Amino acid sequence: MNLEKLEIGDIKSGLSQGDFTSVDLTTEFLEKTKEKNKEISALLSITENLALRQAKEVDENKSEGLLNGVPVVVKDNILVEGEKATAASKILEHFRAPQDATVIEKIKKEGAIILG
């Protein structure tokens, strides 16, 4: 699977046609993300457990959200419940979000997979 060439429509059709599962896709995106992040350090944290849990839910529920199974990355100053939210600040280095920001609630509702 060539991740660089996949667009949202490709992901949605591949999932609906059974070409791959959300877990397969998410696992591959996580590996590629970790590999690239070693080079460019773009992400402060990678939410592997959350992403895989969300991918399993997508595969089990077969919902039709607009972003169903689509991997996304969220800026570090936007709260994702239970995940680090430091806004790149040392003073917040151990802060874990107590709840989701509204935008996160909305993309989760639509089935997006949060990679980091």
Side-chain angles (χ1 to χ4, degrees):
M1 189 175 343
N2 188 355
L3 299 181
E4 288 84 11
K5 302 292 182 194
L6 283 180
E7 296 179 0
I8 291 175
D10 300 329
I11 291 171
K12 291 183 68 78
S13 67
L15 287 170
S16 66
Q17 294 173 6
D19 295 339
F20 46 81
T21 67
S22 185
V23 170
D24 294 338
L25 182 68
T26 300
T27 301
E28 195 159 332
F29 265 98
L30 282 167
E31 291 307 313
K32 186 69 168 180
T33 300
K34 288 188 270 188
E35 178 184 311
K36 273 300 213 189
N37 202 47
K38 287 178 186 173
E39 292 175 37
I40 61 175
S41 298
L43 300 178
L44 296 176
S45 65
I46 296 176
T47 56
E48 187 168 3
N49 292 334
L50 172 62
L52 290 172
R53 189 171 60 247
Q54 289 176 315
K56 287 177 188 171
E57 289 174 16
V58 166
D59 286 341
E60 290 169 2
N61 296 334
K62 303 288 186 207
S63 65
E64 290 298 320
L66 291 173
L67 297 172
N68 207 41
V70 176
V72 299
V73 174
V74 178
K75 192 170 174 149
D76 190 50
N77 65 349
I78 299 175
L79 300 182
V80 178
E81 185 177 6
E83 300 298 329
K84 280 184 164 184
T86 68
S89 169
K90 281 286 195 188
I91 217 163
L92 296 172
E93 69 183 321
H94 300 294
F95 179 73
R96 296 227 175 242
Q99 63 194 36
D100 285 331
T102 302
V103 68
I104 299 302
E105 288 175 358
K106 290 180 178 187
I107 65 171
K108 280 182 174 180
K109 182 180 175 193
E110 293 299 330
I113 309 296
I114 300 171
L115 298 178

